Amino acid sequence: LRTDQAVLAQAATGFGKTVVGAFIAKSTTSKGNDLIFSVHRQELVDQTSASFTEVGIPHGFVVSGRPFNPHARVRVASIGTLKNRLDKIPVPKLLVVDEAHHCAAAGWEKVVNWAKEGGAKVIGLTATPWRLSGEGLKKHFDTMVNGPSVEWLIENKYLSDYKAFAPGIPVMDGVHTRAGDYVRGEVEEIMDDTVLIGDAVKHYLKHARGKKGLAFCVSVKHSEHVAQRFREAGVSALHLDGNTPKEDRRRAVRAYA
């Protein structure tokens, strides 16, 4: 940061990027500077706020539905709210952008440019420093710092080791791509298949019965079908999507934890 305005910090999922962000926030405020830590989901607002509270960092919010504290040196912000309030908020000394691989999206780019043009330093945090199209993030960041590898984190007991099982393998022949990713509707047709979903349920019961799990699905419809098949097999399962009421989402996350 002494030589570059915008730095991308890459580290594996589970490394503790939010904790590092909290350390940076504490260091920044101890020098009398202010900071905005921006995230893109409500659950991440709550998670970041909890991390900051745990290490004793007083903070305010730039989040729809929460009061704005003009005296807060540290603010946890939702990108969706922040991008619409740039004319009402002073540019901080430091902007930290979580999940920074989204910076190519218009709203995120607007926030990063606002910070840079106001003279702020910018730190982006991500596990995957590229866009879905395969492009890098050089347009938004001057340099990148790599954290330790997943292999190192596992060997040194910071992450759990894992076993990978592959049930039925979908045939992706003929599926088109758009902006570097598969066309969702076409993938849904393949993945939302009773045999494939049944295979996933069967493998869960065989290898992980009684353990908590997460299923990442192609679409809302696919997710609903997967949850239903697990329930039919006697496994408690819940579908969540972006339109699930906030309190239901909070309740589900708390119950899972």
Side-chain angles (χ1 to χ4, degrees), residues 6-231:
V7 177
L8 186 63
Q10 181 278 332
T13 301
F15 164 80
K17 292 184 286 294
T18 304
V19 177
V20 171
F23 174 83
I24 291 168
K26 200 160 193 175
S27 175
T28 301
T29 55
S30 70
K31 298 179 176 70
N33 297 314
D34 53 351
L35 169 144
I36 292 177
F37 192 104
S38 62
V39 300
H40 76 303
R41 295 194 189 283
Q42 181 59 50
E43 287 80 9
L44 294 176
V45 169
D46 297 337
Q47 177 186 317
T48 304
S49 176
S51 293
F52 284 12
T53 298
E54 194 174 325
V55 296
I57 302 172
H59 56 279
F61 296 93
V62 185
V63 178
S64 179
R66 298 206 189 192
F68 178 76
N69 178 0
H71 306 296
R73 281 214 172 278
V74 175
R75 297 190 178 104
V76 178
S78 157
I79 280 278
T81 304
L82 180 59
K83 70 181 182 182
N84 295 323
R85 297 187 185 175
L86 299 181
D87 58 336
K88 300 179 178 66
I89 297 172
V91 176
K93 190 78 171 179
L94 178 65
L95 170 69
V96 180
V97 183
D98 196 25
E99 305 292 349
H101 48 277
H102 291 298
C103 278
W108 296 61
E109 190 169 46
K110 181 180 177 184
V111 169
V112 170
N113 289 342
W114 163 79
K116 285 181 178 178
E117 289 163 7
K121 296 278 187 175
V122 179
I123 295 176
L125 305 176
T126 184
T128 51
W130 55 81
R131 299 167 61 182
L132 287 176
S133 61
E135 294 174 69
L137 299 169
K138 185 67 177 174
K139 178 181 176 184
H140 309 285
F141 297 95
D142 307 313
T143 190
M144 180 167 71
V145 177
N146 290 106
S149 67
V150 171
E151 183 182 26
W152 187 94
L153 290 167
I154 291 172
E155 287 176 353
N156 288 274
K157 310 300 182 188
Y158 289 103
L159 290 180
S160 298
D161 204 348
Y162 63 90
K163 291 180 181 177
F165 297 93
I169 310 250
V171 178
M172 305 299 281
D173 296 346
V175 177
H176 298 90
T177 59
R178 185 181 299 136
D181 202 9
Y182 286 124
V183 175
R184 182 170 298 185
E186 295 179 13
V187 179
E188 182 184 64
E189 277 186 44
I190 293 170
M191 297 301 294
D192 197 16
D193 173 84
T194 53
V195 175
L196 276 178
I197 295 173
D199 251 8
V201 174
K202 185 174 71 177
H203 275 69
Y204 167 81
L205 292 173
K206 180 180 178 182
H207 298 291
R209 186 189 291 268
K211 295 185 181 295
K212 288 189 287 187
L214 290 171
F216 293 94
C217 299
V218 174
S219 65
V220 169
K221 186 174 79 169
H222 181 218
S223 175
E224 289 170 340
H225 291 168
V226 168
Q228 180 62 32
R229 288 297 295 273
F230 272 99
R231 287 195 294 270

